Amino acid sequence: MFSGPFDASIIKRAESKDLIKIEVHDLRKWGEGERRNVDDRPYGGGVGMILRVDIIDNALKDLWTKNSKVILLDATGKRYTEAKAKEFSGLEHLILIAGHYEGVDHRVHENLVDEVVSIGDYVLTGGEIPAMVLVDSVIRLIPGVLGKDESSTDESHKEPGYLEYPQYTRPEDYKGWKVPKILLGGNHKEIKDWRQKNQPSPAKSRI
């Protein structure tokens, strides 16, 4: 699952320039028995299998350094934000645990990780895709990763919002759908004011 997104485009170029290093580890390397088992049935009964705390602990013992921050991707975690991506982009070493099956033994949450992060209020088949989302959002904020044409434009990441204003290009009029006149006039102050006024805010959860 990781080979496609991590072997192309901006992420691949960043790694080729030694700006980042990504290593994908198969948890079965630390598995038990002939089949390299990493999961077992939940205590108390229930459907599905649970990733074992001892297996994850053994993996972390081999991978952890004094500069590591350990993140578990899990739907129960704190909502992931651009601010958190900025924080992570300044760290030296992130270890991401992608949950799978029915979940992860809760002792991992309680004892082995620094943070539990969720990319949204929905359930996926595993933590691999959330891990890719986190990696992509962090890497693009590392200095030198993006060129001018792809730029993260510091302006688009200033408070209060990180989302860019609406943008338009040619044709000026398509099917009667017209570009706002203010963008065509060349008055830079008016354009700047219009962009600030129309900068969207991130959607808020309704709870």
mmCIF file of all heavy atoms in Angstrom, residues 139-168:
data_model
loop_
_atom_site.group_PDB
_atom_site.id
_atom_site.type_symbol
_atom_site.label_atom_id
_atom_site.label_comp_id
_atom_site.label_asym_id
_atom_site.label_seq_id
_atom_site.Cartn_x
_atom_site.Cartn_y
_atom_site.Cartn_z
ATOM 1 N N ILE A 139 5.578 16.225 5.348
ATOM 2 C CA ILE A 139 6.727 16.369 4.451
ATOM 3 C C ILE A 139 6.674 17.672 3.674
ATOM 4 O O ILE A 139 7.690 18.350 3.490
ATOM 5 C CB ILE A 139 6.811 15.163 3.508
ATOM 6 C CG1 ILE A 139 7.328 13.944 4.286
ATOM 7 C CG2 ILE A 139 7.724 15.448 2.317
ATOM 8 C CD1 ILE A 139 7.349 12.670 3.487
ATOM 9 N N ARG A 140 5.504 18.068 3.225
ATOM 10 C CA ARG A 140 5.405 19.278 2.403
ATOM 11 C C ARG A 140 5.758 20.544 3.174
ATOM 12 O O ARG A 140 6.013 21.589 2.579
ATOM 13 C CB ARG A 140 3.996 19.387 1.814
ATOM 14 C CG ARG A 140 2.908 19.657 2.818
ATOM 15 C CD ARG A 140 1.528 19.635 2.177
ATOM 16 N NE ARG A 140 1.443 20.555 1.069
ATOM 17 C CZ ARG A 140 1.230 21.866 1.194
ATOM 18 N NH1 ARG A 140 1.084 22.377 2.401
ATOM 19 N NH2 ARG A 140 1.160 22.642 0.150
ATOM 20 N N LEU A 141 5.791 20.457 4.499
ATOM 21 C CA LEU A 141 6.126 21.615 5.328
ATOM 22 C C LEU A 141 7.609 21.685 5.673
ATOM 23 O O LEU A 141 8.061 22.666 6.265
ATOM 24 C CB LEU A 141 5.308 21.580 6.625
ATOM 25 C CG LEU A 141 3.792 21.719 6.451
ATOM 26 C CD1 LEU A 141 3.092 21.542 7.785
ATOM 27 C CD2 LEU A 141 3.423 23.051 5.826
ATOM 28 N N ILE A 142 8.375 20.668 5.304
ATOM 29 C CA ILE A 142 9.808 20.659 5.590
ATOM 30 C C ILE A 142 10.517 21.587 4.604
ATOM 31 O O ILE A 142 10.308 21.489 3.393
ATOM 32 C CB ILE A 142 10.363 19.230 5.495
ATOM 33 C CG1 ILE A 142 9.736 18.353 6.593
ATOM 34 C CG2 ILE A 142 11.885 19.222 5.607
ATOM 35 C CD1 ILE A 142 10.091 16.886 6.494
ATOM 36 N N PRO A 143 11.337 22.512 5.081
ATOM 37 C CA PRO A 143 12.025 23.444 4.193
ATOM 38 C C PRO A 143 12.801 22.735 3.084
ATOM 39 O O PRO A 143 13.516 21.769 3.338
ATOM 40 C CB PRO A 143 12.981 24.187 5.140
ATOM 41 C CG PRO A 143 12.312 24.117 6.468
ATOM 42 C CD PRO A 143 11.646 22.773 6.502
ATOM 43 N N GLY A 144 12.620 23.214 1.859
ATOM 44 C CA GLY A 144 13.337 22.656 0.721
ATOM 45 C C GLY A 144 12.583 21.591 -0.039
ATOM 46 O O GLY A 144 12.987 21.215 -1.147
ATOM 47 N N VAL A 145 11.492 21.093 0.526
ATOM 48 C CA VAL A 145 10.756 20.005 -0.131
ATOM 49 C C VAL A 145 9.984 20.514 -1.349
ATOM 50 O O VAL A 145 10.007 19.907 -2.416
ATOM 51 C CB VAL A 145 9.797 19.304 0.858
ATOM 52 C CG1 VAL A 145 8.825 18.395 0.121
ATOM 53 C CG2 VAL A 145 10.602 18.500 1.869
ATOM 54 N N LEU A 146 9.290 21.617 -1.205
ATOM 55 C CA LEU A 146 8.486 22.146 -2.295
ATOM 56 C C LEU A 146 9.238 23.213 -3.063
ATOM 57 O O LEU A 146 9.903 24.073 -2.481
ATOM 58 C CB LEU A 146 7.179 22.749 -1.759
ATOM 59 C CG LEU A 146 6.212 21.798 -1.062
ATOM 60 C CD1 LEU A 146 4.944 22.540 -0.681
ATOM 61 C CD2 LEU A 146 5.871 20.607 -1.940
ATOM 62 N N GLY A 147 9.096 23.170 -4.397
ATOM 63 C CA GLY A 147 9.632 24.232 -5.227
ATOM 64 C C GLY A 147 8.642 25.367 -5.315
ATOM 65 O O GLY A 147 7.533 25.299 -4.786
ATOM 66 N N LYS A 148 9.017 26.421 -6.008
ATOM 67 C CA LYS A 148 8.146 27.594 -6.115
ATOM 68 C C LYS A 148 6.815 27.256 -6.751
ATOM 69 O O LYS A 148 5.769 27.756 -6.358
ATOM 70 C CB LYS A 148 8.843 28.693 -6.920
ATOM 71 C CG LYS A 148 9.976 29.360 -6.168
ATOM 72 C CD LYS A 148 10.551 30.503 -6.980
ATOM 73 C CE LYS A 148 11.678 31.205 -6.222
ATOM 74 N NZ LYS A 148 12.260 32.308 -7.003
ATOM 75 N N ASP A 149 6.829 26.418 -7.790
ATOM 76 C CA ASP A 149 5.596 26.126 -8.516
ATOM 77 C C ASP A 149 4.623 25.302 -7.691
ATOM 78 O O ASP A 149 3.430 25.257 -7.977
ATOM 79 C CB ASP A 149 5.905 25.391 -9.826
ATOM 80 C CG ASP A 149 6.618 26.283 -10.819
ATOM 81 O OD1 ASP A 149 6.513 27.516 -10.655
ATOM 82 O OD2 ASP A 149 7.273 25.761 -11.732
ATOM 83 N N GLU A 150 5.129 24.571 -6.684
ATOM 84 C CA GLU A 150 4.262 23.708 -5.884
ATOM 85 C C GLU A 150 4.011 24.323 -4.522
ATOM 86 O O GLU A 150 3.310 23.752 -3.704
ATOM 87 C CB GLU A 150 4.945 22.348 -5.672
ATOM 88 C CG GLU A 150 5.329 21.685 -6.960
ATOM 89 C CD GLU A 150 6.544 20.789 -6.798
ATOM 90 O OE1 GLU A 150 7.349 21.018 -5.899
ATOM 91 O OE2 GLU A 150 6.669 19.868 -7.601
ATOM 92 N N SER A 151 4.567 25.495 -4.302
ATOM 93 C CA SER A 151 4.850 26.004 -2.976
ATOM 94 C C SER A 151 3.741 25.849 -1.974
ATOM 95 O O SER A 151 2.569 25.928 -2.286
ATOM 96 C CB SER A 151 5.250 27.465 -3.062
ATOM 97 O OG SER A 151 4.111 28.271 -3.066
ATOM 98 N N SER A 152 4.174 25.645 -0.727
ATOM 99 C CA SER A 152 3.239 25.610 0.390
ATOM 100 C C SER A 152 2.848 27.039 0.734
ATOM 101 O O SER A 152 2.064 27.262 1.628
ATOM 102 C CB SER A 152 3.888 24.963 1.617
ATOM 103 O OG SER A 152 4.903 25.772 2.115
ATOM 104 N N THR A 153 3.388 28.006 0.020
ATOM 105 C CA THR A 153 3.205 29.438 0.265
ATOM 106 C C THR A 153 2.922 29.727 1.711
ATOM 107 O O THR A 153 1.838 29.506 2.193
ATOM 108 C CB THR A 153 2.066 30.041 -0.582
ATOM 109 O OG1 THR A 153 0.876 29.359 -0.309
ATOM 110 C CG2 THR A 153 2.380 30.010 -2.035
ATOM 111 N N ASP A 154 3.921 30.262 2.375
ATOM 112 C CA ASP A 154 3.782 30.558 3.794
ATOM 113 C C ASP A 154 2.489 31.301 4.087
ATOM 114 O O ASP A 154 1.874 31.110 5.115
ATOM 115 C CB ASP A 154 4.972 31.403 4.276
ATOM 116 C CG ASP A 154 6.258 30.599 4.234
ATOM 117 O OD1 ASP A 154 6.154 29.372 4.270
ATOM 118 O OD2 ASP A 154 7.333 31.198 4.162
ATOM 119 N N GLU A 155 2.059 32.170 3.156
ATOM 120 C CA GLU A 155 0.842 32.941 3.399
ATOM 121 C C GLU A 155 -0.369 32.050 3.594
ATOM 122 O O GLU A 155 -1.257 32.347 4.372
ATOM 123 C CB GLU A 155 0.575 33.898 2.222
ATOM 124 C CG GLU A 155 1.501 35.102 2.226
ATOM 125 C CD GLU A 155 1.059 36.145 1.232
ATOM 126 O OE1 GLU A 155 -0.057 36.006 0.694
ATOM 127 O OE2 GLU A 155 1.812 37.092 1.004
ATOM 128 N N SER A 156 -0.423 30.934 2.848
ATOM 129 C CA SER A 156 -1.605 30.082 2.932
ATOM 130 C C SER A 156 -1.664 29.320 4.244
ATOM 131 O O SER A 156 -2.660 28.671 4.544
ATOM 132 C CB SER A 156 -1.625 29.088 1.767
ATOM 133 O OG SER A 156 -0.617 28.123 1.909
ATOM 134 N N HIS A 157 -0.579 29.401 5.040
ATOM 135 C CA HIS A 157 -0.557 28.661 6.299
ATOM 136 C C HIS A 157 -0.509 29.571 7.511
ATOM 137 O O HIS A 157 -0.236 29.133 8.611
ATOM 138 C CB HIS A 157 0.629 27.696 6.309
ATOM 139 C CG HIS A 157 0.476 26.616 5.301
ATOM 140 N ND1 HIS A 157 -0.309 25.515 5.499
ATOM 141 C CD2 HIS A 157 0.962 26.505 4.053
ATOM 142 C CE1 HIS A 157 -0.277 24.751 4.421
ATOM 143 N NE2 HIS A 157 0.485 25.335 3.542
ATOM 144 N N LYS A 158 -0.760 30.867 7.307
ATOM 145 C CA LYS A 158 -0.807 31.773 8.438
ATOM 146 C C LYS A 158 -2.143 31.660 9.139
ATOM 147 O O LYS A 158 -3.148 31.348 8.535
ATOM 148 C CB LYS A 158 -0.579 33.213 7.961
ATOM 149 C CG LYS A 158 0.870 33.496 7.545
ATOM 150 C CD LYS A 158 1.016 34.926 7.092
ATOM 151 C CE LYS A 158 2.452 35.219 6.684
ATOM 152 N NZ LYS A 158 2.602 36.586 6.161
ATOM 153 N N GLU A 159 -2.116 31.967 10.417
ATOM 154 C CA GLU A 159 -3.367 32.025 11.168
ATOM 155 C C GLU A 159 -4.203 33.175 10.621
ATOM 156 O O GLU A 159 -3.673 34.147 10.107
ATOM 157 C CB GLU A 159 -3.070 32.223 12.658
ATOM 158 C CG GLU A 159 -2.313 31.064 13.285
ATOM 159 C CD GLU A 159 -3.063 29.749 13.213
ATOM 160 O OE1 GLU A 159 -4.302 29.781 13.129
ATOM 161 O OE2 GLU A 159 -2.428 28.702 13.252
ATOM 162 N N PRO A 160 -5.537 33.144 10.698
ATOM 163 C CA PRO A 160 -6.305 32.134 11.409
ATOM 164 C C PRO A 160 -6.602 30.888 10.610
ATOM 165 O O PRO A 160 -7.040 29.904 11.170
ATOM 166 C CB PRO A 160 -7.597 32.881 11.730
ATOM 167 C CG PRO A 160 -7.770 33.799 10.569
ATOM 168 C CD PRO A 160 -6.389 34.248 10.217
ATOM 169 N N GLY A 161 -6.408 30.924 9.293
ATOM 170 C CA GLY A 161 -6.769 29.758 8.490
ATOM 171 C C GLY A 161 -5.614 29.311 7.635
ATOM 172 O O GLY A 161 -4.677 30.053 7.384
ATOM 173 N N TYR A 162 -5.651 28.077 7.170
ATOM 174 C CA TYR A 162 -4.601 27.573 6.308
ATOM 175 C C TYR A 162 -5.127 27.293 4.908
ATOM 176 O O TYR A 162 -4.371 26.913 4.027
ATOM 177 C CB TYR A 162 -3.987 26.298 6.897
ATOM 178 C CG TYR A 162 -4.979 25.186 7.103
ATOM 179 C CD1 TYR A 162 -5.267 24.292 6.085
ATOM 180 C CD2 TYR A 162 -5.625 25.038 8.321
ATOM 181 C CE1 TYR A 162 -6.183 23.274 6.277
ATOM 182 C CE2 TYR A 162 -6.539 24.027 8.514
ATOM 183 C CZ TYR A 162 -6.808 23.147 7.495
ATOM 184 O OH TYR A 162 -7.722 22.156 7.698
ATOM 185 N N LEU A 163 -6.425 27.497 4.703
ATOM 186 C CA LEU A 163 -7.012 27.245 3.391
ATOM 187 C C LEU A 163 -6.907 28.489 2.527
ATOM 188 O O LEU A 163 -7.084 29.609 2.996
ATOM 189 C CB LEU A 163 -8.485 26.838 3.543
ATOM 190 C CG LEU A 163 -8.732 25.602 4.400
ATOM 191 C CD1 LEU A 163 -10.219 25.347 4.534
ATOM 192 C CD2 LEU A 163 -8.036 24.384 3.807
ATOM 193 N N GLU A 164 -6.620 28.289 1.248
ATOM 194 C CA GLU A 164 -6.438 29.425 0.364
ATOM 195 C C GLU A 164 -7.764 29.982 -0.126
ATOM 196 O O GLU A 164 -8.777 29.290 -0.190
ATOM 197 C CB GLU A 164 -5.572 29.018 -0.830
ATOM 198 C CG GLU A 164 -4.124 28.773 -0.447
ATOM 199 C CD GLU A 164 -3.222 28.771 -1.654
ATOM 200 O OE1 GLU A 164 -3.408 29.620 -2.556
ATOM 201 O OE2 GLU A 164 -2.337 27.920 -1.717
ATOM 202 N N TYR A 165 -7.725 31.252 -0.500
ATOM 203 C CA TYR A 165 -8.860 31.945 -1.096
ATOM 204 C C TYR A 165 -9.219 31.291 -2.437
ATOM 205 O O TYR A 165 -8.403 30.581 -3.045
ATOM 206 C CB TYR A 165 -8.490 33.411 -1.310
ATOM 207 C CG TYR A 165 -7.093 33.595 -1.856
ATOM 208 C CD1 TYR A 165 -6.793 33.355 -3.208
ATOM 209 C CD2 TYR A 165 -6.050 33.966 -1.011
ATOM 210 C CE1 TYR A 165 -5.521 33.489 -3.696
ATOM 211 C CE2 TYR A 165 -4.760 34.101 -1.503
ATOM 212 C CZ TYR A 165 -4.500 33.868 -2.847
ATOM 213 O OH TYR A 165 -3.230 33.990 -3.331
ATOM 214 N N PRO A 166 -10.434 31.528 -2.960
ATOM 215 C CA PRO A 166 -10.804 30.992 -4.275
ATOM 216 C C PRO A 166 -9.875 31.531 -5.359
ATOM 217 O O PRO A 166 -9.494 32.708 -5.333
ATOM 218 C CB PRO A 166 -12.231 31.522 -4.475
ATOM 219 C CG PRO A 166 -12.733 31.805 -3.108
ATOM 220 C CD PRO A 166 -11.535 32.252 -2.318
ATOM 221 N N GLN A 167 -9.512 30.676 -6.302
ATOM 222 C CA GLN A 167 -8.627 31.076 -7.378
ATOM 223 C C GLN A 167 -9.238 30.715 -8.731
ATOM 224 O O GLN A 167 -9.984 29.743 -8.851
ATOM 225 C CB GLN A 167 -7.259 30.419 -7.223
ATOM 226 C CG GLN A 167 -6.575 30.816 -5.924
ATOM 227 C CD GLN A 167 -5.118 30.460 -5.905
ATOM 228 O OE1 GLN A 167 -4.291 31.087 -6.554
ATOM 229 N NE2 GLN A 167 -4.788 29.421 -5.149
ATOM 230 N N TYR A 168 -8.901 31.516 -9.748
ATOM 231 C CA TYR A 168 -9.485 31.361 -11.081
ATOM 232 C C TYR A 168 -8.400 31.504 -12.139
ATOM 233 O O TYR A 168 -7.369 32.136 -11.909
ATOM 234 C CB TYR A 168 -10.551 32.442 -11.330
ATOM 235 C CG TYR A 168 -11.669 32.459 -10.321
ATOM 236 C CD1 TYR A 168 -11.527 33.141 -9.112
ATOM 237 C CD2 TYR A 168 -12.871 31.815 -10.566
ATOM 238 C CE1 TYR A 168 -12.549 33.166 -8.176
ATOM 239 C CE2 TYR A 168 -13.904 31.835 -9.636
ATOM 240 C CZ TYR A 168 -13.742 32.520 -8.446
ATOM 241 O OH TYR A 168 -14.755 32.535 -7.537
#
